[in-house]
Amino acid sequence: QVQLVESGGGLVQVGGSLRLSCAASGSAFRLTIMGWHRQAPGKQRELVATITTGGSLNYADSVKGRFTISRDNAKNTVYLQMNSLKPEDTAVYYCYFRGWKTGVPTSDDYWGQGTQVTVSS
Protein backbone atom coordinates (compact mmCIF):
# COMPACT_ATOMS: atom_id res chain seq x y z
CA GLN A 1 0.00 0.00 0.00
CA VAL A 2 1.38 3.36 -1.07
CA GLN A 3 1.02 6.30 1.29
CA LEU A 4 1.14 9.82 -0.13
CA VAL A 5 1.95 12.73 2.16
CA GLU A 6 1.20 16.17 0.73
CA SER A 7 2.23 19.56 2.03
CA GLY A 8 2.73 23.15 0.94
CA GLY A 9 -0.76 24.43 0.33
CA GLY A 10 -2.04 27.67 1.74
CA LEU A 11 -3.31 31.17 1.07
CA VAL A 12 -1.36 33.48 -1.20
CA GLN A 13 -2.02 36.74 -3.02
CA VAL A 14 -2.20 37.06 -6.78
CA GLY A 15 1.28 36.88 -8.25
CA GLY A 16 2.69 35.01 -5.30
CA SER A 17 4.33 31.61 -5.10
CA LEU A 18 3.86 28.31 -3.34
CA ARG A 19 5.69 25.00 -3.46
CA LEU A 20 3.84 21.75 -3.03
CA SER A 21 5.50 18.49 -2.13
CA CYS A 22 4.32 14.91 -2.15
CA ALA A 23 6.24 11.98 -0.74
CA ALA A 24 5.34 8.39 -1.54
CA SER A 25 6.25 5.69 0.94
CA GLY A 26 5.63 2.01 1.39
CA SER A 27 6.06 1.14 -2.28
CA ALA A 28 8.33 -1.18 -4.26
CA PHE A 29 7.74 0.14 -7.76
CA ARG A 30 10.34 0.37 -10.49
CA LEU A 31 8.60 2.93 -12.69
CA THR A 32 6.27 5.65 -11.52
CA ILE A 33 4.38 8.70 -12.66
CA MET A 34 3.77 11.29 -9.99
CA GLY A 35 2.26 14.73 -9.97
CA TRP A 36 -0.88 16.71 -9.21
CA HIS A 37 -4.42 17.06 -10.34
CA ARG A 38 -6.64 19.82 -8.99
CA GLN A 39 -10.33 20.31 -8.43
CA ALA A 40 -12.17 23.56 -7.87
CA PRO A 41 -15.66 23.59 -6.29
CA GLY A 42 -18.24 22.41 -8.80
CA LYS A 43 -15.56 21.61 -11.36
CA GLN A 44 -14.16 18.38 -12.72
CA ARG A 45 -10.76 17.27 -11.54
CA GLU A 46 -8.05 18.22 -14.05
CA LEU A 47 -4.42 17.34 -14.56
CA VAL A 48 -1.92 20.00 -13.52
CA ALA A 49 1.48 18.41 -14.04
CA THR A 50 3.15 15.01 -13.94
CA ILE A 51 6.66 13.66 -14.13
CA THR A 52 7.96 10.13 -14.63
CA THR A 53 10.97 8.47 -13.06
CA GLY A 54 12.69 9.01 -16.41
CA GLY A 55 11.99 12.73 -16.37
CA SER A 56 9.20 12.97 -18.93
CA LEU A 57 6.99 15.99 -18.21
CA ASN A 58 3.38 16.82 -18.80
CA TYR A 59 1.79 20.20 -17.98
CA ALA A 60 -1.65 21.61 -18.40
CA ASP A 61 -1.62 24.48 -20.88
CA SER A 62 -2.97 26.81 -18.22
CA VAL A 63 0.11 26.42 -16.02
CA LYS A 64 2.92 26.20 -18.57
CA GLY A 65 5.54 28.83 -17.94
CA ARG A 66 4.35 29.38 -14.37
CA PHE A 67 4.56 25.97 -12.69
CA THR A 68 7.55 23.65 -12.58
CA ILE A 69 7.40 20.02 -11.50
CA SER A 70 10.46 18.12 -10.35
CA ARG A 71 11.24 14.95 -8.44
CA ASP A 72 13.80 13.34 -6.22
CA ASN A 73 13.76 9.67 -7.16
CA ALA A 74 15.87 8.69 -4.16
CA LYS A 75 13.24 10.15 -1.83
CA ASN A 76 10.34 9.21 -4.10
CA THR A 77 9.14 12.78 -3.71
CA VAL A 78 7.78 15.26 -6.22
CA TYR A 79 7.64 19.04 -5.99
CA LEU A 80 5.47 21.58 -7.73
CA GLN A 81 6.82 25.11 -7.75
CA MET A 82 3.93 27.44 -8.48
CA ASN A 83 4.78 31.01 -9.48
CA SER A 84 2.70 33.93 -10.72
CA LEU A 85 -0.38 32.44 -9.11
CA LYS A 86 -3.79 33.50 -10.35
CA PRO A 87 -7.25 33.27 -8.75
CA GLU A 88 -8.04 30.59 -11.33
CA ASP A 89 -5.43 28.39 -9.65
CA THR A 90 -7.57 28.17 -6.51
CA ALA A 91 -8.44 24.52 -5.96
CA VAL A 92 -7.72 21.44 -3.93
CA TYR A 93 -4.54 19.92 -5.29
CA TYR A 94 -4.35 16.13 -5.14
CA CYS A 95 -1.08 14.29 -5.37
CA TYR A 96 -1.22 11.40 -7.83
CA PHE A 97 0.85 8.26 -8.02
CA ARG A 98 0.86 5.59 -10.72
CA GLY A 99 3.40 2.81 -10.47
CA TRP A 100 4.47 -0.36 -12.21
CA LYS A 101 6.30 -3.24 -10.60
CA THR A 102 8.90 -5.27 -12.47
CA GLY A 103 7.27 -7.88 -14.70
CA VAL A 104 3.75 -6.60 -14.09
CA PRO A 105 2.05 -4.92 -17.07
CA THR A 106 -0.73 -3.23 -15.10
CA SER A 107 -0.29 -0.16 -12.91
CA ASP A 108 -1.37 0.70 -9.39
CA ASP A 109 -2.93 4.13 -8.81
CA TYR A 110 -3.11 6.18 -5.60
CA TRP A 111 -4.33 9.62 -4.60
CA GLY A 112 -3.25 11.86 -1.78
CA GLN A 113 -5.67 13.50 0.63
CA GLY A 114 -5.45 16.86 -1.12
CA THR A 115 -4.12 20.25 -0.08
CA GLN A 116 -5.98 23.53 -0.46
CA VAL A 117 -4.44 26.31 -2.53
CA THR A 118 -6.24 29.64 -2.38
CA VAL A 119 -5.15 32.65 -4.43
CA SER A 120 -6.73 35.93 -3.39
CA SER A 121 -6.68 39.42 -4.85
Side-chain angles (χ1 to χ4, degrees):
Q1 184 76 21
V2 172
Q3 299 179 57
L4 302 176
V5 180
E6 300 182 59
S7 64
L11 175 65
V12 66
Q13 292 186 348
V14 171
S17 298
L18 287 172
R19 191 179 80 153
L20 306 183
S21 65
C22 179
S25 62
S27 65
F29 297 93
R30 296 291 178 265
L31 175 66
T32 65
I33 300 172
M34 294 185 67
W36 279 267
H37 294 221
R38 66 187 181 188
Q39 188 167 23
K43 301 292 185 179
Q44 192 170 15
R45 189 174 298 187
E46 64 176 355
L47 182 145
V48 178
T50 60
I51 185 169
T52 71
T53 47
S56 296
L57 305 172
N58 187 21
Y59 292 98
D61 288 340
S62 60
V63 307
K64 287 181 179 178
R66 299 188 298 119
F67 292 9
T68 302
I69 190 168
S70 61
R71 71 184 295 164
D72 184 336
N73 287 331
K75 297 181 179 179
N76 210 19
T77 299
V78 292
Y79 306 92
L80 185 67
Q81 180 65 45
M82 305 185 294
N83 298 326
S84 302
L85 284 162
K86 305 175 180 180
E88 304 93 282
D89 297 317
T90 296
V92 176
Y93 285 68
Y94 294 93
C95 182
Y96 174 72
F97 176 101
R98 171 173 284 180
W100 291 263
K101 294 183 178 180
T102 301
V104 180
T106 57
S107 64
D108 294 341
D109 297 336
Y110 296 90
W111 293 93
Q113 80 283 355
T115 185
Q116 177 70 47
V117 171
T118 302
V119 184
S120 64
S121 59

